[in-house]
Amino acid sequence: MYQTIVLLPLIGFLIVGFFGNSIGAKVSEYITTGLLIVSAVLSWIAFISFGFGEGLVQHVELLQWMQSGSLDVSWSLRIDRLTLVMLVVVNTVSALVHTYSIGYMHHDPHRPRFFAYLSLFTFAMLMLVTSNNLVQMFFGWEGVGLASYLLIGFWYKKPTANAAAMKAFVVNRVGDFGFALGIFGLFAVFGSVNFDTIFSGAASIAGELGHEAGAAAEGAAHASDIVLTFAGYPLTMGTALTVICLLLFMGAMGKSAQLGLHTWLPDAMEGPTPVSALIHAATMVTAGVFMLARMSPVFELSHSALTFVTFIGATTAFFAATVGLVQNDIKRVIAYSTCSQLGYMFVALGVGAYGAAVFHLFTHAFFKALLFLGAGSVIHAVSDEQDMRNMGGLRKHIPKTYWMMVIGTLALTGFPLTAGYYSKDAIIESAFVGHNSFAMYGFGMTVIAALMTSFYSWRLIFMTFHGKPRASHEVMHHIHESPPIMLVPLYILATGAILAGIVFAPFFIGEGYGEFWNAALFTGAENHVLHDMHSVPFLVKMSPFIAMVIGFVLAWQFYIRKPYMPARIAVTHRGLYKFLLNKWYFDELYDFLFVRSAKALGRFLWKQGDGQVIDRLGPDGIAARVMDVTDRAVRLQTGYLYHYAFAMLIGVAALVTWMMVGGAS
């Protein structure tokens, strides 16, 4: 069954990718969507039958991949609780996105290519989450990067889409370089890239490094031994593990758009809206969170690395929330919401609450896909308009989409009993009881971000659906509700956004936590975090709810009761407004530091190095000398007979003279 779950999207990609134009768009849609629905149903069956029992880790070997010395890599599937959670998330959201896309992409002439790319994206993510070793994970890791490039730039005749696809690809290469170095470091320390070997090795290092990282096993390295040389510096076991974890996190920062490597995420909105939903809810951005959760036994060996993860996650949550306050593109608001929510997940990972992080990933998939697909329904209704300033008053025209968006907003802001209420509050509470030096910083930033999340989420609802219509009369005349093929996925996602928290919270983070996760996540220190999380002060428990209410009231005050206030505040605090509108000037800073400098260096090497030095002294110089010689030779060819006769006489005279001189001697 597990092989079927993973390979069905690949089969859909191969059939439609090679024969899509022959079999037609409709058949291509039905093949890829049907295979994904089957894969999603099988994923839920596997999750229910395995995830709530006493199942141990299972290995399903597909084939032997490579063997070289101590490197032994087989192509196999690792099936445990974490894998099954990700299978449910990836396949469910992907199946619904495929179904939704049948209606959304109805008029696109290149639908077979689009659906083939979607299936390739899903298959690459499935390879990542089912990997049993780091090399196989890296294959899936790069696969989702490739698929995101293809899908973000799907409308390749659109220059901004091409630029956004290239930006996503290049920025992720920076993070992937760190991830690759981390894999090399793990192989150097543990002698293997297989997870079982790495995790057993990590478990054996508990003594010499004082319950953080040591080696009690016979023949293992001592804490003071040099185990790795990095950038010319010899590293002991503890330092080496910290460096390795930071390199792994560098890869996660790229894929999951954490501060510093986040700039590709908002630009990715240039792709079709179903692509945005798939990237933000189930595939690419969740890869980094999954990787850290999978490698939790290794990260537990480095307190410094976990502290850094907490700091970056909390800062990202705050940063993205501030930028989301002033964005006007409906998809970009939701995109920055994703960036902020990913920050929450990394805060949980940093304080050791791995179950809470994966739980938020699980619930977030439902309401974030709901919001993106709902935004697509809005865009579909208003003739592809994405600027919320040109909307307003849509509530009565597209009521079904409106209520779906409201449900998604309630879940995102953490309204009681919705999915986000359970998972996001768990992260905030776990940060409060965390023990690293940035845990309280994480608590403060996530509470502040919760307030801003509520504000910009309700700002989106109020600007889009309430107030007076700001669209043209022609656009308002043609507004229509989306067809059932687009609305049914919204209904299913809305059900998940409401029920996923209350149904699954006892298993992910409650009393049944240990039995549910078993060996899939590190359970040593986290049990303590989860135990303390349930006994935090009442005010701490209420802080996310208070923040949510304040954000809602402010949004209602600004955009319903006194809609003139935002413009007045923007004029009064113009500097701050421009700072947030320009996303803290990260793009401008990177353009100055990297893009312009790289262009200047390239231009110098082209004009001076290549043109003035290499070409002038090399090919161009030699060619010029040959031309000089041939030009002089050409001048001798005058065409006059007496010139040639004179030259022959000179030659004969020279020859006779040489012979006479030679004979005399």
Side-chain angles (χ1 to χ4, degrees):
M1 178 169 66
Y2 301 119
Q3 298 98 314
T4 303
I5 292 172
V6 172
L7 294 178
L8 282 179
L10 176 62
I11 294 171
F13 163 70
L14 293 175
I15 294 174
V16 176
F18 285 104
F19 309 107
N21 291 331
S22 301
I23 62 180
K26 279 294 181 186
V27 177
S28 298
E29 293 171 347
Y30 294 151
I31 288 176
T32 53
T33 304
L35 291 175
L36 254 298
I37 292 174
V38 173
S39 187
V41 172
L42 291 177
S43 298
W44 277 101
I45 293 173
F47 176 71
I48 294 172
S49 62
F50 183 101
F52 299 96
E54 295 291 337
L56 299 174
V57 177
Q58 296 183 22
H59 301 92
V60 182
E61 187 158 338
L62 302 179
L63 54 91
Q64 186 65 38
W65 192 3
M66 63 180 82
Q67 284 182 313
S68 177
S70 60
L71 179 65
D72 184 4
V73 180
S74 62
W75 202 284
S76 61
L77 309 180
R78 181 184 182 88
I79 306 300
D80 59 13
R81 270 80 164 174
L82 181 59
T83 302
L84 291 167
V85 169
M86 295 304 298
L87 288 179
V88 165
V89 169
V90 174
N91 283 323
T92 301
V93 173
S94 184
L96 294 174
V97 167
H98 273 74
T99 305
Y100 178 93
S101 299
I102 294 175
Y104 189 87
M105 302 294 289
H106 177 69
H107 298 294
D108 196 284
H110 305 292
R111 298 199 299 282
R113 178 165 61 90
F114 179 78
F115 280 85
Y117 287 169
L118 283 183
S119 292
L120 175 64
F121 205 172
T122 305
F123 168 71
M125 190 65 187
L126 293 178
M127 291 309 305
L128 192 158
V129 302
T130 58
S131 58
N132 192 40
N133 59 73
L134 287 164
V135 177
Q136 186 178 334
M137 178 182 280
F138 194 73
F139 171 83
W141 193 271
E142 293 303 301
V144 295
L146 168 65
S148 68
Y149 171 79
L150 296 173
L151 284 167
I152 294 170
F154 176 75
W155 289 319
Y156 58 87
K157 294 183 179 179
K158 187 178 177 183
T160 53
N162 286 327
M166 185 63 71
K167 185 176 183 180
F169 197 79
V170 171
V171 172
N172 273 275
R173 295 293 72 73
V174 177
D176 294 352
F177 177 68
F179 186 33
L181 291 179
I183 294 174
F184 300 154
L186 285 172
F187 181 73
V189 171
F190 295 100
S192 176
V193 293
N194 294 313
F195 290 142
D196 287 337
T197 305
I198 293 173
F199 296 159
S200 62
S204 72
I205 8 183
E208 290 191 16
L209 296 182
H211 302 292
E212 292 182 26
E218 183 178 355
H222 292 284
S224 58
D225 290 344
I226 303 301
V227 297
L228 184 66
T229 300
F230 180 75
Y233 293 94
L235 305 178
T236 59
M237 180 65 79
T239 308
L241 289 169
T242 296
V243 171
I244 289 170
C245 289
L246 291 176
L247 289 171
L248 294 176
F249 180 55
M250 181 177 172
M253 287 176 65
K255 279 289 182 288
S256 294
Q258 292 302 282
L259 188 68
L261 296 179
H262 68 280
T263 53
W264 67 270
L265 191 63
D267 289 4
M269 298 303 98
E270 292 293 337
T273 300
V275 175
S276 303
L278 196 57
I279 289 177
H280 286 250
T283 53
M284 189 155 168
V285 298
T286 64
V289 178
F290 167 80
M291 187 263 284
L292 258 68
R294 173 64 80 203
M295 302 305 297
S296 56
V298 177
F299 273 84
E300 278 295 322
L301 304 177
S302 176
H303 182 78
S304 299
L306 289 176
T307 302
F308 184 72
V309 171
T310 305
F311 170 74
I312 292 295
T315 308
T316 302
F318 175 79
F319 154 76
T322 62
V323 177
L325 295 174
V326 297
Q327 296 300 306
N328 297 309
D329 186 304
I330 187 171
K331 288 172 64 177
R332 285 180 182 261
V333 174
I334 305 173
Y336 278 106
S337 164
T338 300
C339 191
S340 182
Q341 296 304 305
L342 290 166
Y344 276 84
M345 298 176 204
F346 281 104
V347 168
L349 292 168
V351 300
Y354 303 107
V358 178
F359 186 36
H360 195 49
L361 183 156
F362 179 77
T363 61
H364 177 263
F366 290 103
F367 57 75
K368 187 51 56 73
L370 175 61
L371 286 170
F372 264 114
L373 297 185
S377 183
V378 172
I379 295 168
H380 181 267
V382 293
S383 306
D384 296 328
E385 177 62 66
Q386 294 184 200
D387 194 326
M388 296 185 297
R389 293 172 295 185
N390 298 327
M391 298 181 188
L394 301 181
R395 179 168 54 95
K396 296 180 180 179
H397 298 275
I398 47 175
K400 297 176 182 177
T401 299
Y402 167 71
W403 284 111
M404 294 302 101
M405 290 287 285
V406 168
I407 291 173
T409 299
L410 290 171
L412 173 62
T413 58
F415 189 80
L417 303 183
T418 61
Y421 168 76
Y422 291 93
S423 59
K424 188 161 73 172
D425 286 20
I427 291 176
I428 293 174
E429 293 165 12
S430 64
F432 182 81
V433 300
H435 300 296
N436 71 49
S437 54
F438 276 103
M440 194 54 64
Y441 172 79
F443 169 74
M445 289 294 101
T446 50
V447 171
I448 295 171
L451 188 155
M452 291 188 286
T453 299
S454 179
F455 176 84
Y456 66 66
S457 298
W458 288 110
R459 171 180 178 263
L460 183 152
I461 294 295
F462 294 150
M463 288 184 68
T464 304
F465 296 101
H466 292 263
K468 296 180 180 179
R470 296 180 295 277
S472 65
H473 176 73
E474 182 180 358
V475 170
M476 294 300 297
H477 179 71
H478 290 93
I479 290 178
H480 57 282
E481 188 63 270
S482 297
I485 194 70
M486 293 172 63
L487 290 175
V488 170
L490 297 184
Y491 299 153
I492 297 173
L493 290 168
T495 303
I498 295 172
L499 299 179
I502 195 170
V503 172
F504 294 105
F507 303 99
F508 280 80
I509 58 174
E511 296 296 330
Y513 168 86
E515 180 184 353
F516 179 76
W517 289 113
N518 202 359
L521 297 175
F522 180 82
T523 57
E526 189 187 358
N527 286 334
H528 182 63
V529 173
L530 287 177
H531 179 269
D532 292 348
M533 182 190 78
H534 294 294
S535 57
V536 297
F538 177 74
L539 186 60
V540 172
K541 281 187 173 293
M542 291 297 296
S543 59
F545 177 78
I546 295 171
M548 178 200 68
V549 172
I550 294 174
F552 171 79
V553 171
L554 288 175
W556 178 79
Q557 183 79 4
F558 278 27
Y559 295 97
I560 297 297
R561 190 165 182 267
K562 299 179 180 179
Y564 58 86
M565 285 183 64
R568 181 177 298 178
I569 293 175
V571 172
T572 306
H573 302 88
R574 186 168 182 79
L576 177 61
Y577 176 74
K578 291 185 66 176
F579 179 71
L580 298 180
L581 190 64
N582 288 283
K583 302 156 288 188
W584 291 26
Y585 292 102
F586 267 101
D587 284 310
E588 289 77 5
L589 177 64
Y590 287 176
D591 182 67
F592 175 76
L593 292 177
F594 303 117
V595 179
R596 293 185 187 179
S597 58
K599 285 184 176 179
L601 178 61
R603 191 177 295 108
F604 172 79
L605 294 175
W606 168 36
K607 295 290 187 181
Q608 304 302 320
D610 191 37
Q612 295 298 318
V613 178
I614 297 175
D615 286 348
R616 189 166 64 87
L617 299 180
D620 289 351
I622 295 173
R625 301 294 76 75
V626 172
M627 290 294 294
D628 289 343
V629 173
T630 55
D631 284 345
R632 288 181 173 84
V634 166
R635 292 173 187 170
L636 296 176
Q637 307 300 319
T638 62
Y640 294 109
L641 183 61
Y642 62 85
H643 283 172
Y644 299 142
F646 178 72
M648 291 174 66
L649 283 175
I650 294 296
V652 170
L655 180 61
V656 170
T657 302
W658 177 75
M659 293 176 65
M660 291 176 62
V661 173
S665 62

